[in-house]
Amino acid sequence: AQSVAQPEDQVNVAEGNPLTVKCTYSVSGNPYLFWYVQYPNRGLQFLLKYITGDNLVKGSYGFEAEFNKSQTSFHLKKPSALVSDSALYFCAVRDILSNTGKLIFGQGTTLQVKP
Amino acid sequence: GAVVSQHPSWVICKSGTSVKIECRSLDFQATTMFWYRQFPKQSLMLMATSNEGSKATYEQGVEKDKFLINHASLTLSTLTVTSAHPEDSSFYICSASDRAPGHYNEQFFGPGTRLTVL
């Protein structure tokens, strides 16, 4: 079965420090991976995606993610966290067994950036 | 580009009434739309997938007679919660994809609708 795991319910970092939000996946075949951010009572905002090519993907708001096939990971990173980055982050993988292109989401990680 | 809107953004209704939520793609044609449900601080649960002009495909465990989905045009899908009860209170989010189903399609998400059933 295809799945995505975000092992941390919450990540706490100080403003200005680097942040990492972890994501691992399990799929058959090549994965198509996504990161989304959700602010309270809002929909999801797209951050970045990996389809193919360079393992380091750069996205919105200074975020980047590294695709690591051997470790089946796609961790989200940012060199210097901002208080405004505090939100709920979701990793997702395209369900390649579905012909509708639906996404499988991780359980989400709350990022708390403290001043 | 690729903006998806939802209406209403929040709704409060009495138990037993029906509520309709609209999802519109504003600047592209959405061949496929998805409806999700989200409980507080939890992940998104896919309820159903709809393609324009055809019946929606519901996920296992989702009552199709309770959650009616209509995708009548390439820019509009509606979710109707029939005979709503307090346990239907949730945050409902739609997303839209602008090409025929496939692996490279990107989903664009609406802002969500907060439903509270009294």
Side-chain angles (χ1 to χ4, degrees):
Chain A
Q2 301 182 102
S3 64
V4 174
Q6 295 178 241
E8 305 155 314
D9 288 338
Q10 182 158 328
V11 170
N12 298 309
V13 297
E15 187 175 30
N17 283 0
L19 70 86
T20 299
V21 183
K22 295 180 180 178
C23 172
T24 59
Y25 64 90
S26 174
V27 300
S28 53
N30 295 320
Y32 303 114
L33 296 156
F34 303 80
W35 274 103
Y36 292 90
V37 60
Q38 184 181 33
Y39 294 96
N41 295 310
R42 303 289 293 276
L44 271 65
Q45 295 181 34
F46 171 78
L47 283 179
L48 49 82
K49 65 182 177 185
Y50 172 83
I51 302 297
T52 186
D54 197 350
N55 289 344
L56 183 64
V57 179
K58 294 190 182 296
S60 307
Y61 313 119
F63 284 94
E64 60 187 28
E66 185 169 10
F67 172 66
N68 188 316
K69 189 173 183 178
S70 62
Q71 296 185 6
T72 63
S73 67
F74 189 56
H75 301 331
L76 181 70
K77 300 183 179 184
K78 187 173 182 180
S80 178
L82 300 172
V83 173
S84 58
D85 292 329
S86 300
L88 183 57
Y89 290 80
F90 289 103
C91 181
V93 65
R94 185 78 74 204
D95 182 355
I96 63 173
L97 299 180
S98 162
N99 63 356
T100 62
K102 68 181 183 181
L103 294 171
I104 299 169
F105 283 90
Q107 58 268 49
T109 299
T110 298
L111 174 65
Q112 190 76 33
V113 181
K114 297 184 178 179
Chain B
V3 178
V4 176
S5 70
Q6 281 184 242
H7 179 79
S9 55
W10 60 269
V11 57
I12 301 173
C13 69
K14 293 182 178 180
S15 186
T17 60
S18 294
V19 175
K20 180 184 284 187
I21 302 170
E22 292 185 348
C23 177
R24 293 183 184 271
S25 57
L26 298 185
D27 50 4
F28 66 99
Q29 293 187 325
T31 52
T32 305
M33 286 186 169
F34 303 84
W35 285 96
Y36 297 86
R37 184 175 179 176
Q38 186 183 30
F39 292 103
K41 297 190 177 182
Q42 292 190 25
S43 189
L44 280 70
M45 181 192 79
L46 180 64
M47 300 173 66
T49 303
S50 71
N51 292 304
E52 185 266 338
S54 61
K55 290 185 178 179
T57 302
Y58 289 81
E59 295 297 303
Q60 195 171 10
V62 178
E63 298 175 61
K64 60 180 66 177
D65 294 331
K66 175 143 186 83
F67 299 100
L68 300 177
I69 292 172
N70 183 282
H71 193 162
S73 77
L74 285 172
T75 59
L76 173 64
S77 176
T78 60
L79 167 67
T80 301
V81 183
T82 63
S83 187
H85 288 92
E87 57 265 29
D88 299 324
S89 299
S90 191
F91 194 52
Y92 292 87
I93 303 174
C94 74
S95 70
S97 179
D98 64 347
R99 282 191 278 277
H103 302 315
Y104 294 92
N105 304 335
E106 187 170 327
Q107 289 185 31
F108 303 99
F109 286 81
T113 296
R114 171 75 59 194
L115 171 63
T116 301
V117 184
L118 302 176

